[in-house]
Amino acid sequence: MLLVVLASIVAVLGQAPAITSDTTPVVGGDVTTPLTLTPADLKALPRTTVTVAEEGREVRYEGVLVGELLKRAGAPVGRDLSGKAVATYVRASAKDGYQVVFSLAELDPAFTANDIIVADAIDGKPLFDYQGPLRIVAPHDKRGARSIRMLQRIEVVRLVK
Amino acid sequence: MRSSVVVAILLWSAAAAFGARAQPAPAFSWTLPARFPTPRVPPNNPMSDAKVTLGRFLFYDTRLSGNGTQACATCHEQARAFTDGRAQAVGSTGEVHPRGSMSLVNVAYAATLTWGDPTVTRLEDQALVPMFGTHPVELGLTKDDPTLMARLRLEPRYRTLFAQAFTTDTDPFSLEHVTQALAAFERTVISARSPYDRYHTDRDDTAISASARRGETLFFSQPLSCFRCHGGFTFSGAVDFEGRRQGGEGGVEFHNTGLYNIAGLLSYPPPNTGAYEATHKPEDIGKFKAPTLRNIAVTAPYMHDGSAATLEDVVAHYAAGGRTIASGPYQGVGHDNPNKSPTIRGFVLTPDQRDDLIAFLRALTDEPLLRDPRFGNPWKESQ
């Protein structure tokens, strides 16, 4: 019995956070103009399509470049991405608590040729519940770990000011 | 110049010699589901309809057991997604196997084939284990005993089937051809017609319930992380298929899920000590293959030894981050097993969320597969 109680305590202490309820994803942190990412907002912005290989077949994701969203939020991209600003990272968080990090430079089309997008569609249809409504797709990553699903927040963090 | 000619002649001779033994590769149509890649097949055992047909007859033939009481299908019943409903399989002589029968669905894609042996990677090799294994005895055949081939030769149907499947051999009856045909048949047992597939592939939002959709989100969430071991289109461990980069990401893994933690050096009850049985590495104690979750609702009981009776029991085990056995010979707190996978952290679900997760797992049942005549007993058809 004691073992059962001890195991229960251990299990509760080690519990993972619950999935948060749906809220509108945002772009925030160290930016001048925080954005909310409604489906309508995304549809109205310049669209980018990327193709990734998933288990031997090609899958097409559509959405908006993360760099485009960061530019509109006032993050230091383009000509402003120099000096101390280069030491800036972007943390993407999901509603299940998962988090990944990109450097700001790798999201800026003026800096690197990378098509990392916030996707709202897969093969012409809305994302599945477990993926969306929004996710990031990093098509040139060799692993899918940073293509975060259930995107909740994109946060700009300057390491040096 | 002369050396080039010599090399060319040698290569030609080698190719000619190889070609004399190699079987031709008749065209074979997999008719695969949309999300499924082409399975990788051993070069010396190309698929053919004739081989698949022969393999199906052999799969259901009790002549493949020493005492004529069991076939492959005895422990791999189609109606149970090619499992047997037992916690632990029972061989032809009544010996109880330490582990349960594994499902054969989508086995064409499996990078490894057994609960705990990383070295068994080809179906042709695996078939020899139940046929001739002695620890435990399964089908109970004896190696080098001509009885099996003599039995098969006596069956008139096999004279035709073997000849059609292996056209270049003067005498097509051989153990190698038996295992090749069995493997070819098993590779055709592809499961992809579940409600989940209709939801995903056909984008039919009515195919699965709202509860199952919520369950899918939980399944793929960070706190539960079920998908990390039961991933991809097979909802299992590592897969292989044509074009897949070998030796890269998604390699073969076996997992200690904290099912046991008994006292002593071996934290899992022998003889079921997992991959350790094959590798003898202490870090492999208690590590088993993550089986496919497709059709999981019809393959109870669960775990390598059938020690979890229901899906509710399985979810409770993972929610606790390991199973606690309060008394008896297996007493111990699995949560604290020193080899436990870091993925098994435990989580908290409300009763509704638990039901959602199980509704999702039930949506993986491929009812058409369980009745598909292509995978049924051909001897009954031909009577």
Side-chain angles (χ1 to χ4, degrees):
Chain A
M1 185 60 190
L2 179 61
L3 285 174
V4 174
V5 171
L6 285 173
S8 302
I9 292 170
V10 170
V12 170
L13 288 175
Q15 70 184 246
I19 294 176
T20 59
S21 58
D22 284 321
T23 54
T24 305
V26 298
V27 179
D30 205 340
V31 296
T32 58
T33 315
L35 303 175
T36 55
L37 300 176
T38 68
D41 293 336
L42 284 182
K43 292 283 188 249
L45 294 174
R47 306 283 289 177
T48 296
T49 299
V50 299
T51 302
V52 297
E54 290 184 357
E55 296 173 329
R57 77 186 189 106
E58 303 258 290
V59 177
R60 196 176 77 254
Y61 284 99
E62 301 158 47
V64 176
L65 288 172
V66 182
E68 177 70 25
L69 297 170
L70 292 170
K71 184 174 77 177
R72 288 170 185 265
V77 294
R79 287 187 177 180
D80 295 334
L81 186 47
S82 62
K84 293 177 181 177
V86 180
T88 301
Y89 69 89
V90 174
R91 176 166 62 185
S93 311
K95 66 180 179 182
D96 64 354
Y98 188 58
Q99 298 185 8
V100 300
V101 165
F102 300 88
S103 73
L104 181 58
E106 67 184 315
L107 296 171
D108 181 1
F111 216 102
T112 57
N114 208 335
D115 297 328
I116 300 171
I117 65 171
V118 171
D120 58 7
I122 175 172
D123 291 335
K125 301 280 179 61
L127 300 181
F128 293 101
D129 293 352
Y130 82 96
Q131 299 178 309
L134 303 179
R135 71 174 300 176
I136 284 179
V137 178
H140 302 300
D141 279 8
K142 290 183 178 176
R143 296 177 56 184
R146 293 200 303 177
S147 290
I148 183 171
R149 295 180 282 104
M150 296 188 279
L151 180 66
Q152 195 60 54
R153 180 174 172 80
I154 293 173
E155 180 186 10
V156 175
V157 181
R158 288 186 183 226
L159 288 173
V160 185
K161 295 190 179 178
Chain B
M1 181 66 182
R2 181 189 292 176
S3 61
S4 300
V5 172
V6 171
V7 168
I9 290 171
L10 286 173
L11 286 173
W12 178 85
S13 303
F18 178 77
R21 290 199 58 209
Q23 299 290 334
F28 179 80
S29 173
W30 283 98
T31 58
L32 295 165
R35 295 179 67 221
F36 281 41
T38 303
R40 196 194 302 272
V41 172
N44 69 341
N45 190 24
M47 296 292 288
S48 74
D49 290 329
K51 213 181 286 181
V52 171
T53 301
L54 170 62
R56 184 174 153 220
F57 274 89
L58 291 167
F59 187 85
Y60 283 93
D61 194 339
T62 55
R63 280 171 283 209
L64 263 70
S65 58
N67 58 15
T69 60
Q70 288 195 343
C72 306
T74 306
C75 296
H76 299 284
E77 302 171 28
Q78 181 185 12
R80 298 177 192 271
F82 296 91
T83 62
D84 64 359
R86 296 174 183 268
Q88 296 163 250
V90 178
S92 59
T93 60
E95 186 170 351
V96 178
H97 198 295
R99 292 173 289 280
S101 299
M102 300 191 83
S103 175
L104 298 182
V105 301
N106 300 325
V107 74
Y109 297 104
T112 63
L113 296 169
T114 71
W115 279 112
D117 190 343
T119 67
V120 183
T121 60
R122 292 187 347 139
L123 285 166
E124 290 81 353
D125 302 329
Q126 190 279 332
L128 298 170
V129 177
M131 290 172 76
F132 298 104
T134 53
H135 300 289
V137 172
E138 297 181 56
L139 292 169
L141 292 167
T142 305
K143 267 195 176 158
D144 303 322
D145 182 341
T147 305
L148 172 63
M149 284 306 141
R151 286 177 185 168
L152 299 183
R153 285 179 196 279
L154 282 175
E155 167 59 48
R157 185 180 303 271
Y158 278 140
R159 289 177 208 150
T160 307
L161 291 173
F162 271 88
Q164 289 174 337
F166 300 97
T167 54
T168 61
D169 295 75
T170 312
D171 177 9
F173 284 89
S174 71
L175 178 60
E176 183 183 25
H177 288 171
V178 168
T179 59
Q180 287 181 331
L182 283 170
F185 167 65
E186 290 168 334
R187 290 190 175 105
T188 66
V189 183
I190 287 174
S191 178
R193 290 175 286 176
S194 67
Y196 165 85
D197 293 297
R198 293 202 299 279
Y199 168 58
H200 256 260
T201 307
D202 304 342
R203 295 303 301 238
D204 176 1
D205 286 349
T206 66
I208 67 174
S209 66
S211 171
R213 288 171 64 164
R214 290 192 297 271
E216 182 188 28
T217 299
L218 288 165
F219 183 91
F220 284 99
S221 71
Q222 178 73 1
L224 274 65
S225 288
C226 312
F227 70 102
R228 295 198 185 281
C229 299
H230 299 280
F233 61 96
T234 60
F235 290 92
S236 73
V239 293
D240 192 24
F241 47 80
E242 284 294 332
R244 182 176 177 80
R245 188 166 54 91
Q246 292 182 305
E249 179 64 18
V252 172
E253 283 188 299
F254 290 77
H255 313 273
N256 179 322
T257 66
L259 200 61
Y260 294 99
N261 193 15
I262 61 174
L265 289 176
L266 300 170
S267 58
Y268 269 53
N272 284 328
T273 53
Y276 172 77
E277 290 174 58
T279 68
H280 306 297
K281 294 178 182 173
E283 62 267 31
D284 287 339
I285 293 171
K287 290 185 178 176
F288 290 89
K289 176 183 164 83
T292 180
L293 298 186
R294 285 186 174 273
N295 309 292
I296 196 71
V298 300
T299 66
Y302 304 107
M303 306 300 179
H304 64 275
D305 56 1
S307 60
T310 65
L311 288 174
E312 286 78 4
D313 291 344
V314 173
V315 173
H317 156 60
Y318 286 117
R323 183 171 65 181
T324 295
I325 298 176
S327 61
Y330 299 154
Q331 178 179 335
V333 180
H335 181 284
D336 298 336
N337 190 297
N339 272 353
K340 195 181 72 167
S341 164
T343 309
I344 312 297
R345 297 184 299 264
F347 48 79
V348 174
L349 292 180
T350 66
D352 284 348
Q353 287 176 318
R354 185 200 59 183
D355 293 347
D356 290 343
L357 181 62
I358 291 173
F360 167 67
L361 295 173
R362 292 188 186 285
L364 299 174
T365 301
D366 180 349
E367 292 286 348
L369 175 125
L370 308 181
R371 301 184 301 272
D372 191 328
R374 291 176 301 159
F375 309 133
N377 185 345
W379 298 102
K380 285 184 180 171
E381 285 174 15
S382 59
Q383 279 171 354

